[in-house]
Amino acid sequence: METEVEHTGLAIHPMDQFIVRKLFCHTESASPMNECTTNIHWYDITNVTMWMAIAVLVIAAILVLGTRRRAIVPSRSQSVAELLYGFIHNMVEEVTGHEGVKYFPYVMTLFLFVLCGNVLGLLPLSFTTTSHMAVTVPLALMVFVGVTALGFMRNGPGFLKMFWVTSAPLAIRPVLAVIEVISYFVRPVSHSIRLAGNMMAGHAVIKVIAGFASIAVVSPVVVGAVTAIYALELLVAVVQAYVFTILTCVYLRDAVGDAHH
Amino acid sequence: MEGDIAEMGKFIGAGLATIGLGGAGIGVGHVAGNFLAGALRNPSAAPGQMANLFVGIAFAEALGIFSFLIALLLMFAV
């Protein structure tokens, strides 16, 4: 990326919030491309790794503290943990069938990680880890590779029958097979980009509108607009975590579900 | 005048790419509208189809997000 970002229009550039920067690093430079944001090694602690670690801590806190004092009549924290568990368990059982419940822990892990990444990103001055494709692509690829491997392990070469649509007339089956194969390989792309795109777009919109607050006449309107969009983004954050999880379940169904589905 | 034709093309291309999001809007509205039409005819069956509703919306939305991605690539990566 050779072009330098010129700060001419808005006071804050809406995409500046997605810059990965090293922690424990001080710079005098005002430019977004300085020694803290370039030349990052895999072992550097960045804001991405920090907020992912915070997400893991939050998940652990919710589940460990929630189930510490188990009671027949659940306390509030226990209810939260139980509701999350029950919600995902129902989803896995409904979508993938009884066989898929074996893979519930992985789906639960994915859901909580994506949910915490999305929701923690809405805190002011925080960083949305799930807005980066470097985070969501591995998540989607793990599902893709896992489901493909699982499909072949459980069904053997019969897994390939998924691409041969027997309910269609014989003449168009080859065409359908090509389309099915393409759509199968587009899955991880759309799976990851949907999450990253939604998160990035929402946060950029908030930042763009917040940038108008420097104009005194419209600033009261801007405060209202940012509040409204913030509420919408909270909904989007939860819905996208839900969608990511339910798509994982849908893909899992292809591998573990009934062959005559 | 500053900048050059390539720079201009990037901005115009990014703007054109966002038109694709309109398609996502049509698609999502179609899914949600049809869900509502069906749900009002048979409200008792509606809760069981919520998962399908979200999956449908997600599939329709994904293609719009692709065009948003193209816009971002044009703006920041090309």
Side-chain angles (χ1 to χ4, degrees), chain A residues 1 3 5-6 13 15 94-95 133 186 189-190 193-198 200-201 204 239-240 242-243 246-247 250-251 253, chain B residues 2 7 10 47-63 65-66 68-69 72-73 75-78:
Chain A
M1 203 163 87
T3 53
V5 185
E6 290 164 30
H13 196 276
M15 304 309 271
E94 248 171 54
V95 178
M133 273 161 64
V186 169
V189 181
S190 68
I193 289 178
R194 180 181 303 111
L195 179 59
N198 269 297
M200 195 196 297
V239 166
Q240 286 305 319
Y242 175 73
V243 163
I246 203 158
L247 284 178
V250 169
Y251 299 159
R253 182 176 62 192
Chain B
E2 48 186 293
E7 197 74 4
K10 256 167 59 176
Q49 299 303 317
M50 285 302 270
N52 286 337
L53 170 71
F54 280 111
V55 171
I57 286 179
F59 280 138
E61 194 185 25
L63 302 172
I65 296 286
F66 285 166
F68 170 68
L69 184 80
L72 282 182
L73 285 177
M75 288 288 287
F76 298 105
V78 175

Side-chain angles (χ1 to χ4, degrees), chain A residues 60-71 75 77-78 81-82:
Chain A
I62 289 173
L63 295 180
V64 172
L65 296 181
T67 54
R68 178 183 279 168
R69 276 193 299 274
R70 290 185 295 278
S75 63
S77 55
Q78 191 187 337
E82 280 182 358

Side-chain angles (χ1 to χ4, degrees), chain A:
Chain A
M1 203 163 87
E2 288 296 311
T3 53
E4 70 272 21
V5 185
E6 290 164 30
H7 292 265
T8 47
L10 295 163
I12 323 152
H13 196 276
M15 304 309 271
D16 275 0
Q17 58 180 320
F18 301 119
I19 294 173
V20 178
R21 52 170 56 85
K22 284 185 248 185
L23 299 179
F24 316 113
C25 168
H26 181 70
T27 178
E28 300 293 330
S29 162
S31 145
M33 305 289 277
N34 52 45
E35 66 266 29
C36 289
T37 55
T38 51
N39 206 7
I40 294 173
H41 303 285
W42 60 269
Y43 50 80
D44 283 328
I45 300 174
T46 62
N47 45 4
V48 183
T49 49
M50 185 183 81
W51 281 99
M52 284 205 278
I54 291 176
V56 172
L57 287 180
V58 167
I59 296 165
I62 289 173
L63 295 180
V64 172
L65 296 181
T67 54
R68 178 183 279 168
R69 276 193 299 274
R70 290 185 295 278
I72 303 289
V73 180
S75 63
R76 248 180 295 179
S77 55
Q78 191 187 337
S79 294
V80 171
E82 280 182 358
L83 279 175
L84 280 172
Y85 188 98
F87 177 65
I88 302 300
H89 196 274
N90 276 347
M91 187 204 291
V92 175
E93 198 162 27
E94 248 171 54
V95 178
T96 62
H98 194 65
E99 280 292 295
V101 177
K102 228 187 290 179
Y103 308 101
F104 160 72
Y106 184 61
V107 180
M108 177 85 172
T109 312
L110 265 185
F111 174 74
L112 286 178
F113 183 71
V114 174
L115 182 74
C116 281
N118 290 352
V119 173
L120 287 175
L122 283 170
L123 294 175
L125 298 178
S126 75
F127 186 88
T128 324
T129 50
T130 44
S131 70
H132 276 253
M133 273 161 64
V135 176
T136 59
V137 167
L139 291 178
L141 268 184
M142 280 193 288
V143 171
F144 178 73
V145 173
V147 162
T148 311
L150 206 61
F152 278 112
M153 272 155 58
R154 289 179 65 98
N155 307 323
F159 184 57
L160 292 173
K161 268 189 272 181
M162 199 180 82
F163 302 117
W164 194 251
V165 189
T166 45
S167 55
L170 189 62
I172 56 171
R173 273 184 216 168
V175 184
L176 279 181
V178 172
I179 296 173
E180 287 284 320
V181 168
I182 292 173
S183 75
Y184 188 77
F185 282 98
V186 169
R187 272 179 184 183
V189 181
S190 68
H191 201 188
S192 56
I193 289 178
R194 180 181 303 111
L195 179 59
N198 269 297
M199 287 299 110
M200 195 196 297
H203 287 75
V205 164
I206 291 183
K207 252 326 186 3
V208 167
I209 292 180
F212 291 128
S214 57
I215 307 167
V217 187
V218 293
S219 57
V221 182
V222 167
V223 172
V226 167
T227 312
I229 292 180
Y230 197 91
L232 181 74
E233 277 312 302
L234 196 59
L235 180 74
V236 169
V238 177
V239 166
Q240 286 305 319
Y242 175 73
V243 163
F244 193 92
T245 319
I246 203 158
L247 284 178
T248 305
C249 293
V250 169
Y251 299 159
L252 206 56
R253 182 176 62 192
D254 288 339
V256 302
D258 308 323
H260 53 269
H261 194 77

Side-chain angles (χ1 to χ4, degrees), chain B residues 19-31:
Chain B
I19 295 173
L21 288 166
I26 295 171
V28 171
H30 200 70
V31 173

